[in-house]
Amino acid sequence: MSVNSPTLYVQEFASTIEMLVQQKQSKLSSAVTVGGGHYGEQASPVDQIGLIEVSENASRFEPMPRTDASFDRRWVFPTNWDLNQLMDKNDLLRMMVDPKNVMAMSAVAAMNRRKDRTILDGLINANFTGKAGTTSTTLPSTQVVGVSTGGATSRLNVAKLRAAQEILLSNDVDTDSEELYCVIDAKAHSALLSEVQITSSDFNAGSDVPVLRDGRIARFLGFNFIHCERATEFNAADDLGGTSTPIMCFAKSGAYFGAWQDIKVDVSERKDVRALPWQLYIAATFGATRLEEKKVVKVWSRP
């Protein structure tokens, strides 16, 4: 064997391309009311009528009283989102694998994460109501569970979930027919796993839906749990001034996602650019809002 044989050593390169770990699908769009086909600079998904009560008729021939119900209108505003990628054909000639398909999949995953951020923004922040959508409506303090519920400046715990359930029940949310959801991040999920009411079968005997499924919390106190790390992107000052994650508990009918244009992917040649590179373009237009504050609860959880 010649001492010069290492000159002929070869290198093996990958014949596949994989996406790095990331959230690929929208986790929240199935947990809210979804509407499509919107057009214009804003859209109203629903008009609403307020609570009224009957009065006792205890006398004869009195003038007829009148009850004036309150009316309101919810609005959702669209935001345009897009992402553009170019792939030079001269670069493709030097590659073993054509990456365009994976690049398109990565772009769709990015748009799906944006959907979840939009839904969370609509649940957490100010919405717009009124005749023309000029009234800013925030989530009132009566719909917020404080950070020290169940323990001083604590993470998510069973006491906080019970407080959220109590708020919804006291608002006459029909928990028998409504789908209830709770969006948690990894740290909040880990905190709940330290609660004996979550992990002990003694507290959950006879339940037709298991609390834990493959070591993850699936359902508890009527809430279906959704793990979504996008929640941590909305960390903010809690009721005691510290930084906490807003854990959102809500009824499906209390949140709305509206699409002007759902995800559209276009792969085409750029005739105006040298070497006619492939352009992978993705776009969508959508917005989100609460439909009713009394169906949404924010729970503060310290990270």
Side-chain angles (χ1 to χ4, degrees):
M1 179 69 70
S2 169
V3 296
N4 296 317
S5 58
T7 304
L8 304 180
Y9 284 4
V10 299
Q11 299 181 32
E12 181 182 7
F13 295 93
S15 59
T16 59
I17 300 177
E18 295 184 354
M19 296 169 59
L20 293 175
V21 60
Q22 58 188 279
Q23 177 189 328
K24 299 176 183 178
Q25 303 296 325
S26 171
K27 295 189 174 185
L28 303 184
S29 57
S30 62
V32 301
T33 303
V34 176
H38 292 309
Y39 60 90
E41 62 182 2
Q42 62 192 70
S44 174
V46 65
D47 290 336
Q48 299 168 321
I49 185 171
L51 185 70
I52 56 175
E53 296 290 351
V54 299
S55 59
E56 181 183 4
N57 179 6
S59 61
R60 296 180 177 85
F61 311 124
E62 280 192 351
M64 181 73 72
R66 187 186 78 226
T67 299
D68 294 319
S70 62
F71 289 88
D72 205 354
R73 178 174 289 158
R74 289 279 162 169
W75 292 93
V76 59
F77 289 79
T79 301
N80 303 320
W81 302 99
D82 68 359
L83 187 154
N84 186 43
Q85 303 175 89
L86 293 177
M87 173 53 64
D88 195 301
K89 290 182 179 178
N90 291 325
D91 291 334
L92 285 174
L93 294 173
R94 293 161 173 81
M95 295 181 176
M96 293 183 63
V97 183
D98 188 339
K100 293 197 297 296
N101 183 54
V102 178
M103 292 169 67
M105 292 170 57
S106 179
V108 171
M111 192 65 80
N112 282 328
R113 292 192 296 274
R114 176 53 60 185
K115 283 185 176 183
D116 286 355
R117 293 186 184 99
T118 299
I119 291 171
L120 285 170
D121 181 65
L123 285 169
I124 296 169
N125 294 318
N127 294 173
F128 293 94
T129 59
K131 181 179 180 180
T134 56
T135 301
S136 178
T137 302
T138 60
L139 195 67
S141 60
T142 53
Q143 297 296 119
V144 178
V145 176
V147 69
S148 288
T149 301
T153 60
S154 56
R155 299 168 73 182
L156 186 61
N157 52 47
V158 170
K160 290 181 178 181
L161 292 176
R162 284 176 173 164
Q165 182 193 54
E166 180 181 333
I167 290 173
L168 294 176
L169 288 172
S170 65
N171 290 338
D172 284 327
V173 175
D174 188 355
T175 57
D176 292 327
S177 61
E178 291 270 16
E179 295 180 41
L180 303 181
Y181 291 92
C182 179
V183 182
I184 58 174
D185 66 304
K187 289 184 177 180
H189 182 270
S190 179
L192 283 179
L193 287 178
S194 65
E195 299 274 301
V196 65
Q197 296 96 322
I198 297 288
T199 58
S200 174
S201 59
D202 293 338
F203 288 91
N204 301 296
S207 174
D208 58 342
V209 179
V211 173
L212 295 177
R213 185 179 295 121
D214 297 328
R216 293 176 56 186
I217 302 170
R219 183 178 172 86
F220 185 68
L221 291 178
F223 293 109
N224 298 291
F225 285 81
I226 301 175
H227 168 240
C228 182
E229 287 300 306
R230 309 286 76 72
T232 62
E233 299 175 18
F234 292 86
N235 285 4
D238 56 39
D239 54 310
L240 294 183
T243 300
S244 289
T245 301
I247 304 299
M248 302 309 296
C249 300
F250 57 94
K252 183 173 183 175
S253 64
Y256 182 81
F257 176 85
W260 274 248
Q261 175 185 278
D262 207 349
I263 298 176
K264 179 181 179 181
V265 180
D266 179 79
V267 181
S268 58
E269 286 185 331
R270 283 286 300 273
K271 302 294 187 182
D272 62 324
V273 179
R274 197 170 188 175
L276 306 182
W278 289 105
Q279 176 176 268
L280 294 89
Y281 181 76
I282 182 174
T285 301
F286 45 73
T289 183
R290 292 183 301 274
L291 290 180
E292 192 172 349
E293 277 66 43
K294 287 189 174 183
K295 291 185 177 182
V296 179
V297 177
K298 177 169 64 179
V299 179
W300 286 122
S301 174
R302 284 289 171 93

